PDB file of all heavy atoms in Angstrom:
ATOM      1  N   HIS B 923      28.602 -17.753  -1.896  1.00  0.00           N
ATOM      2  CA  HIS B 923      29.024 -18.113  -3.251  1.00  0.00           C
ATOM      3  C   HIS B 923      29.000 -19.623  -3.464  1.00  0.00           C
ATOM      4  O   HIS B 923      29.878 -20.199  -4.103  1.00  0.00           O
ATOM      5  CB  HIS B 923      30.426 -17.555  -3.552  1.00  0.00           C
ATOM      6  CG  HIS B 923      30.484 -16.062  -3.530  1.00  0.00           C
ATOM      7  ND1 HIS B 923      29.997 -15.264  -4.541  1.00  0.00           N
ATOM      8  CD2 HIS B 923      30.941 -15.205  -2.588  1.00  0.00           C
ATOM      9  CE1 HIS B 923      30.161 -13.996  -4.238  1.00  0.00           C
ATOM     10  NE2 HIS B 923      30.737 -13.930  -3.039  1.00  0.00           N
ATOM     11  N   TRP B 924      28.008 -20.257  -2.885  1.00  0.00           N
ATOM     12  CA  TRP B 924      27.796 -21.690  -3.107  1.00  0.00           C
ATOM     13  C   TRP B 924      27.468 -21.903  -4.587  1.00  0.00           C
ATOM     14  O   TRP B 924      26.812 -21.054  -5.195  1.00  0.00           O
ATOM     15  CB  TRP B 924      26.612 -22.151  -2.239  1.00  0.00           C
ATOM     16  CG  TRP B 924      26.502 -23.627  -2.075  1.00  0.00           C
ATOM     17  CD1 TRP B 924      25.804 -24.471  -2.871  1.00  0.00           C
ATOM     18  CD2 TRP B 924      27.074 -24.428  -1.047  1.00  0.00           C
ATOM     19  NE1 TRP B 924      25.909 -25.757  -2.425  1.00  0.00           N
ATOM     20  CE2 TRP B 924      26.695 -25.763  -1.292  1.00  0.00           C
ATOM     21  CE3 TRP B 924      27.882 -24.163   0.057  1.00  0.00           C
ATOM     22  CZ2 TRP B 924      27.076 -26.823  -0.477  1.00  0.00           C
ATOM     23  CZ3 TRP B 924      28.265 -25.209   0.863  1.00  0.00           C
ATOM     24  CH2 TRP B 924      27.868 -26.524   0.592  1.00  0.00           C
ATOM     25  N   PRO B 925      27.919 -22.986  -5.204  1.00  0.00           N
ATOM     26  CA  PRO B 925      27.632 -23.197  -6.635  1.00  0.00           C
ATOM     27  C   PRO B 925      26.133 -23.065  -6.939  1.00  0.00           C
ATOM     28  O   PRO B 925      25.301 -23.673  -6.273  1.00  0.00           O
ATOM     29  CB  PRO B 925      28.120 -24.629  -6.888  1.00  0.00           C
ATOM     30  CG  PRO B 925      29.180 -24.833  -5.855  1.00  0.00           C
ATOM     31  CD  PRO B 925      28.752 -24.060  -4.645  1.00  0.00           C
ATOM     32  N   LYS B 926      25.837 -22.265  -7.963  1.00  0.00           N
ATOM     33  CA  LYS B 926      24.441 -21.940  -8.256  1.00  0.00           C
ATOM     34  C   LYS B 926      23.572 -23.166  -8.491  1.00  0.00           C
ATOM     35  O   LYS B 926      22.450 -23.265  -8.001  1.00  0.00           O
ATOM     36  CB  LYS B 926      24.371 -21.040  -9.502  1.00  0.00           C
ATOM     37  CG  LYS B 926      24.498 -19.561  -9.193  1.00  0.00           C
ATOM     38  CD  LYS B 926      24.272 -18.748 -10.459  1.00  0.00           C
ATOM     39  CE  LYS B 926      24.465 -17.267 -10.132  1.00  0.00           C
ATOM     40  NZ  LYS B 926      24.338 -16.428 -11.336  1.00  0.00           N
ATOM     41  N   ASP B 927      24.102 -24.099  -9.274  1.00  0.00           N
ATOM     42  CA  ASP B 927      23.264 -25.239  -9.669  1.00  0.00           C
ATOM     43  C   ASP B 927      23.065 -26.250  -8.534  1.00  0.00           C
ATOM     44  O   ASP B 927      22.326 -27.223  -8.682  1.00  0.00           O
ATOM     45  CB  ASP B 927      23.847 -25.938 -10.915  1.00  0.00           C
ATOM     46  CG  ASP B 927      25.318 -26.261 -10.747  1.00  0.00           C
ATOM     47  OD1 ASP B 927      25.846 -26.000  -9.635  1.00  0.00           O
ATOM     48  OD2 ASP B 927      25.935 -26.756 -11.705  1.00  0.00           O
ATOM     49  N   ASP B 928      23.737 -25.985  -7.406  1.00  0.00           N
ATOM     50  CA  ASP B 928      23.576 -26.921  -6.287  1.00  0.00           C
ATOM     51  C   ASP B 928      22.784 -26.303  -5.124  1.00  0.00           C
ATOM     52  O   ASP B 928      22.557 -26.956  -4.103  1.00  0.00           O
ATOM     53  CB  ASP B 928      24.969 -27.362  -5.784  1.00  0.00           C
ATOM     54  CG  ASP B 928      24.887 -28.543  -4.835  1.00  0.00           C
ATOM     55  OD1 ASP B 928      24.111 -29.489  -5.117  1.00  0.00           O
ATOM     56  OD2 ASP B 928      25.570 -28.505  -3.784  1.00  0.00           O
ATOM     57  N   ARG B 929      22.409 -25.036  -5.293  1.00  0.00           N
ATOM     58  CA  ARG B 929      21.763 -24.343  -4.171  1.00  0.00           C
ATOM     59  C   ARG B 929      20.404 -24.934  -3.828  1.00  0.00           C
ATOM     60  O   ARG B 929      20.057 -25.100  -2.656  1.00  0.00           O
ATOM     61  CB  ARG B 929      21.623 -22.844  -4.479  1.00  0.00           C
ATOM     62  CG  ARG B 929      22.958 -22.121  -4.433  1.00  0.00           C
ATOM     63  CD  ARG B 929      22.814 -20.668  -4.830  1.00  0.00           C
ATOM     64  NE  ARG B 929      24.141 -20.103  -5.095  1.00  0.00           N
ATOM     65  CZ  ARG B 929      24.358 -18.926  -5.641  1.00  0.00           C
ATOM     66  NH1 ARG B 929      23.333 -18.161  -6.004  1.00  0.00           N
ATOM     67  NH2 ARG B 929      25.585 -18.490  -5.834  1.00  0.00           N
ATOM     68  N   ASP B 930      19.613 -25.253  -4.845  1.00  0.00           N
ATOM     69  CA  ASP B 930      18.280 -25.838  -4.592  1.00  0.00           C
ATOM     70  C   ASP B 930      18.418 -27.161  -3.848  1.00  0.00           C
ATOM     71  O   ASP B 930      17.723 -27.428  -2.868  1.00  0.00           O
ATOM     72  CB  ASP B 930      17.545 -26.065  -5.928  1.00  0.00           C
ATOM     73  CG  ASP B 930      16.682 -24.868  -6.295  1.00  0.00           C
ATOM     74  OD1 ASP B 930      16.124 -24.245  -5.366  1.00  0.00           O
ATOM     75  OD2 ASP B 930      16.600 -24.541  -7.492  1.00  0.00           O
ATOM     76  N   HIS B 931      19.333 -27.979  -4.340  1.00  0.00           N
ATOM     77  CA  HIS B 931      19.541 -29.294  -3.736  1.00  0.00           C
ATOM     78  C   HIS B 931      19.989 -29.161  -2.286  1.00  0.00           C
ATOM     79  O   HIS B 931      19.487 -29.833  -1.385  1.00  0.00           O
ATOM     80  CB  HIS B 931      20.591 -30.077  -4.544  1.00  0.00           C
ATOM     81  CG  HIS B 931      20.992 -31.363  -3.899  1.00  0.00           C
ATOM     82  ND1 HIS B 931      22.189 -31.506  -3.211  1.00  0.00           N
ATOM     83  CD2 HIS B 931      20.369 -32.574  -3.808  1.00  0.00           C
ATOM     84  CE1 HIS B 931      22.275 -32.730  -2.727  1.00  0.00           C
ATOM     85  NE2 HIS B 931      21.180 -33.412  -3.081  1.00  0.00           N
ATOM     86  N   ARG B 932      20.947 -28.254  -2.061  1.00  0.00           N
ATOM     87  CA  ARG B 932      21.484 -28.061  -0.712  1.00  0.00           C
ATOM     88  C   ARG B 932      20.392 -27.519   0.228  1.00  0.00           C
ATOM     89  O   ARG B 932      20.279 -27.956   1.382  1.00  0.00           O
ATOM     90  CB  ARG B 932      22.664 -27.074  -0.774  1.00  0.00           C
ATOM     91  CG  ARG B 932      23.248 -26.667   0.574  1.00  0.00           C
ATOM     92  CD  ARG B 932      23.934 -27.826   1.265  1.00  0.00           C
ATOM     93  NE  ARG B 932      24.536 -27.417   2.533  1.00  0.00           N
ATOM     94  CZ  ARG B 932      24.935 -28.249   3.484  1.00  0.00           C
ATOM     95  NH1 ARG B 932      24.796 -29.565   3.332  1.00  0.00           N
ATOM     96  NH2 ARG B 932      25.471 -27.808   4.591  1.00  0.00           N
TER      97      ARG B 932
END
Side-chain angles (χ1 to χ4, degrees):
Chain B
H923 297 284
W924 195 270
K926 273 186 182 177
D927 51 4
D928 192 43
R929 288 176 194 170
D930 268 325
H931 173 257
R932 174 67 178 164

